[in-house]
Amino acid sequence: MKQIVVISGKGGTGKTIITASFAALSNAKVIADCDVDAPDLHLLLKPKVKQTFDFKSGKKAFINEEECINCGECVEVCRFEAIDEIIENDVINRMIIDPISCEGCGVCFHVCPVNAIEMRENLTGKLFISETKYGTLVHAKLNVAEENSGKLVSMVRNYAKHMAEKDKKNLVIIDGPPGISCPIIASITGVDLALIVTEPTLSAMHDLDRVYKVAKHFKVRSIVCINKYDLNLKNTKKIKKYCKENNIDIAGNISFDLIVTEALVNGIPVVEYIDNKVSNEIRDLYNKTINLL
Amino acid sequence: MIISVASGKGGTGKTTVATNLALSLDNVQFIDCDVEEPNAHIFLKPEIEKKLTVNIPIPKVDESKCNYCGKCADICAFNAIAVLGEKVLVFSELCHGCGGCSLLCPENAIAEAGNKIGIVEIGKADNILFVDGKLDIGEPMSPPLIREAKKYINTDKTVIIDVPPGTSCPVIEAVKGSDFCILVTEPTPFGLYDLELAVELIKKLEIPFGVVINQSDIGDEKVEQYCLNLNIPILMEIPFDKDIAFEYSRGIPIVVKKLEKKQNFKNLYHQIKELVK
């Protein structure tokens, strides 16, 4: 069983649009949406949810006001500025914990002299196993304002792998998140191939370089696709040069075409929406990617 | 006033709105908090005057004092320290720098040492004071670096913060403390879905906000409808323009190419000022 992840560094270069078309083109796969922060793949694949799992991650501190003696020791030790002393008429009246700033380290819980702080388990998201007309989709939703999306990403990857093994599918196609920190690291570690979607813009090129280095750091092989390559041919040339210098295969170029947005608005993967130049380019990209795998 | 520019979905035009707004106003400080993929420097072309290393504190165990009691491993909520027989292992990439182990070690055997996670750059782009953060390759945690970049906020200026995409901890760290948040979106199902998530987040933070619709004439009407239904002010619409897209691709902001567009961004600022009142 092989795993491919679609990443980009910069957001909005076309990861999900390409992943959805890959899902439509492949017939032996499980699909995973690892952008648990702002997942969009379900908008194109229209999943029917079969199973839902709670995602619990870490704990958060709560103060029992009846026990609290307002000594302020917790405020002193908290490095995340999550605890505030509420002062009324020049005296400390009570303590409050901001659940958004609390990282759940529990230092306040350990230092509290009267055991007034409780660490409660934190429900931070949900994971779904769904059926789509293209096969099984494993996806998730991190609650807004939460942290630890790396762990939820790992959970999505584990379930996707499990479903592929169970149903004897030989491919997992993963839609990755933007950026270069914990969610992306969790999305790429141990995959067979990373397809980096870039654009001929200085921003996307800058981010391509950073995300390529992250993949390299974690020993993941990368290939590149240049989306909207005809928007700036000079920059496209520069990307090709960069790839040559770094020994990165270019798996395809996709033209700029507003039909891609039209397909998205209609909620259909481009390759199913229309048969034209751009859908053929995506087909070629898919075939080449599978060959390079 | 601190104005942050955010969006759930990546690539909707946060940096475009943030940099063009900065270039259209006087007395501005720009802070690029998208430390994973900072791009504002491509458009503002600042001269960097200072580069500061950013460390987070990680435990450093003095094995001559340690009796391997395992208390540090017990209390660490992030599994960043483990005691195996007569060995203490620190996993720096898991450490949040809470300081619990060093504070609570009964033998006082744990000090803290700095672990570099990135840099903060400070400079000037003409009259704009410029700050950005750059996370090191392979580092998993961006919020401490965002916190550090925001320490240089100068409230005598109009502060514009470029926020990373998404709706989780780095976004909160970047948006927290703003007087107003601009949410940039595009009129597509992805843009709408991610806008709804971003609105949920900003409401949680209780920060006044409004929406800018980029590439407003491609896609559908649903974003506009959503904003009308929820009484969310649409501050500005930027139609799709292949020329602008081309200029963007080479790092040239709209208002540098088309000076008259400055007025649109000035209007955006005045609307925000009214809404914050």
Side-chain angles (χ1 to χ4, degrees):
Chain A
M1 197 245 314
K2 302 273 186 189
Q3 301 184 65
I4 304 178
V5 64
V6 184
I7 55 174
S8 65
K10 178 169 156 46
T13 59
K15 284 183 295 298
T16 303
I17 284 174
I18 287 172
T19 308
S21 280
F22 276 23
L25 291 169
S26 163
N27 46 26
K29 80 287 156 173
V30 167
I31 311 141
D33 190 350
C34 283
D35 188 355
V36 300
D37 217 9
D40 286 335
L41 193 56
H42 65 280
L43 298 168
L44 290 176
L45 303 187
K46 311 214 164 57
K48 274 202 192 88
V49 175
K50 296 282 176 197
Q51 276 176 288
T52 304
F53 301 89
D54 284 339
F55 172 63
K56 290 180 190 134
S57 169
K59 294 182 175 177
K60 281 198 192 287
F62 289 85
I63 290 190
N64 181 344
E65 284 192 27
E66 276 161 29
E67 307 280 333
C68 177
I69 54 170
N70 298 323
C71 68
E73 279 207 40
C74 52
V75 180
E76 297 266 311
V77 298
C78 178
R79 293 230 171 126
F80 308 104
E81 293 168 19
I83 311 178
D84 270 328
E85 293 170 331
I86 303 296
I87 297 173
E88 273 167 26
N89 303 326
D90 286 341
V91 285
I92 300 172
N93 180 274
R94 64 198 170 94
M95 303 283 168
I96 54 165
I97 297 180
D98 169 16
I100 291 175
S101 297
C102 175
E103 297 214 5
C105 67
V107 176
C108 56
F109 162 80
H110 291 290
V111 301
C112 177
V114 293
N115 293 326
I117 294 176
E118 187 194 339
M119 299 302 293
R120 289 188 204 152
E121 199 153 14
N122 192 26
L123 182 70
T124 57
K126 283 196 171 355
L127 181 142
F128 313 99
I129 296 178
S130 300
E131 274 317 310
T132 75
K133 67 184 262 210
Y134 314 100
T136 303
L137 171 69
V138 182
H139 50 133
K141 180 66 200 82
L142 190 71
N143 295 342
V144 302
E146 286 299 346
E147 60 180 320
N148 251 325
S149 42
K151 276 189 199 159
L152 184 53
V153 168
S154 302
M155 194 168 151
V156 169
R157 295 241 349 243
N158 286 338
Y159 273 96
K161 214 175 143 188
H162 169 76
M163 293 304 288
E165 277 161 0
K166 195 178 112 222
D167 298 338
K168 300 198 169 43
K169 302 285 184 191
N170 56 22
L171 184 63
V172 177
I173 302 173
I174 303 164
D175 193 6
I180 63 161
S181 70
C182 64
I184 191 89
I185 294 170
S187 301
I188 66 170
T189 40
V191 304
D192 299 283
L193 190 62
L195 172 63
I196 307 178
V197 182
T198 190
E199 287 173 352
T201 66
L202 294 183
S203 302
M205 289 154 73
H206 172 264
D207 298 354
L208 159 67
D209 180 49
R210 281 170 67 81
V211 81
Y212 164 67
K213 284 178 178 149
V214 173
K216 203 174 156 187
H217 181 92
F218 290 97
K219 301 188 170 50
V220 171
R221 182 180 160 216
S222 298
I223 59 173
V224 161
C225 150
I226 311 173
N227 194 10
K228 304 181 186 172
Y229 78 94
D230 48 351
L231 202 64
N232 185 330
L233 290 170
K234 227 167 141 184
N235 283 343
T236 290
K237 221 169 150 183
K238 281 188 200 154
I239 297 172
K240 287 184 176 164
K241 190 166 164 251
Y242 170 85
C243 289
K244 206 170 168 192
E245 282 165 6
N246 288 285
N247 253 325
I248 308 167
D249 284 312
I250 295 182
N253 300 320
I254 300 172
S255 323
F256 174 78
D257 190 340
L258 285 173
I259 202 92
V260 175
T261 310
E262 197 184 301
L264 168 59
V265 167
N266 286 287
I268 299 169
V270 186
V271 292
E272 282 196 341
Y273 185 72
I274 193 157
D275 199 1
N276 73 347
K277 188 172 168 228
V278 73
S279 64
N280 284 329
E281 287 164 345
I282 297 175
R283 263 173 232 278
D284 289 346
L285 170 70
Y286 171 75
N287 291 331
K288 197 145 182 214
T289 303
I290 296 300
N291 282 336
L292 286 167
L293 195 64
Chain B
M1 178 159 67
I2 303 174
I3 302 169
S4 51
V5 185
S7 76
K9 177 168 156 44
T12 55
K14 283 180 295 297
T15 304
T16 298
V17 171
T19 52
N20 282 289
L21 181 61
L23 290 163
S24 304
L25 305 177
D26 302 320
N27 198 27
V28 169
Q29 183 189 36
F30 192 98
I31 303 192
D32 192 348
C33 284
D34 188 356
V35 302
E36 294 179 49
E37 298 290 17
N39 289 143
H41 67 97
I42 293 171
F43 300 92
L44 296 176
K45 304 174 179 66
E47 269 182 46
I48 299 299
E49 290 153 3
K50 267 192 272 181
K51 285 189 184 193
L52 308 159
T53 299
V54 178
N55 298 308
I56 58 167
I58 59 161
K60 201 172 172 231
V61 181
D62 179 348
E63 301 229 4
S64 70
K65 289 186 187 167
C66 177
N67 64 3
Y68 310 101
C69 70
K71 171 112 183 173
C72 51
D74 283 345
I75 62 111
C76 179
F78 312 107
N79 304 315
I81 191 162
V83 181
L84 296 171
E86 297 216 332
K87 215 176 175 88
V88 185
L89 299 174
V90 173
F91 304 99
S92 60
E93 68 286 358
L94 297 177
C95 177
H96 284 221
C98 71
C101 55
S102 104
L103 182 72
L104 298 165
C105 173
E107 306 300 322
N108 255 327
I110 305 179
E112 287 181 285
N115 180 42
K116 179 172 176 270
I117 59 162
I119 57 169
V120 166
E121 299 178 310
I122 298 172
K124 252 191 211 140
D126 291 327
N127 294 320
I128 301 170
L129 299 184
F130 182 88
V131 179
D132 75 0
K134 279 202 174 99
L135 188 70
D136 283 352
I137 300 296
E139 281 300 328
M141 251 181 288
S142 64
L145 186 52
I146 296 171
R147 263 199 293 275
E148 194 59 32
K150 286 178 76 177
K151 282 192 184 151
Y152 298 92
I153 284 180
N154 177 347
T155 44
D156 295 339
K157 307 270 171 189
T158 298
V159 181
I160 297 172
I161 296 179
D162 198 357
V163 176
T167 60
S168 66
C169 42
V171 181
I172 292 158
E173 204 57 62
V175 173
K176 221 160 60 175
S178 303
D179 299 297
F180 192 87
C181 183
I182 301 172
L183 296 176
V184 185
T185 190
E186 57 176 42
T188 66
F190 291 179
L192 174 61
Y193 182 77
D194 296 350
L195 173 65
E196 290 176 20
L197 300 177
V199 166
E200 195 188 327
L201 171 79
I202 300 300
K203 282 189 170 165
K204 239 180 172 169
L205 294 173
E206 297 174 354
I207 292 170
F209 66 97
V211 165
V212 169
I213 307 178
N214 194 13
Q215 310 198 333
S216 54
D217 49 349
I218 63 167
D220 58 18
E221 310 292 316
K222 287 180 183 149
V223 166
E224 210 181 319
Q225 212 50 56
Y226 165 81
C227 291
L228 289 174
N229 289 346
L230 268 82
N231 257 326
I232 298 169
I234 296 174
L235 305 167
M236 187 179 186
E237 296 191 26
I238 308 172
F240 176 72
D241 178 335
K242 217 169 172 180
D243 283 345
I244 289 180
F246 177 70
E247 295 302 337
Y248 168 87
S249 77
R250 357 182 253 151
I252 298 175
I254 306 169
V255 299
V256 168
K257 192 71 190 173
K258 298 182 177 170
L259 271 177
E260 73 279 7
K261 297 280 181 200
K262 275 194 179 176
Q263 196 52 49
N264 300 23
F265 287 94
K266 280 186 180 144
N267 291 345
L268 170 64
Y269 175 71
H270 290 304
Q271 286 183 68
I272 292 171
K273 252 172 103 178
E274 284 302 308
L275 287 165
V276 169
K277 252 185 208 169

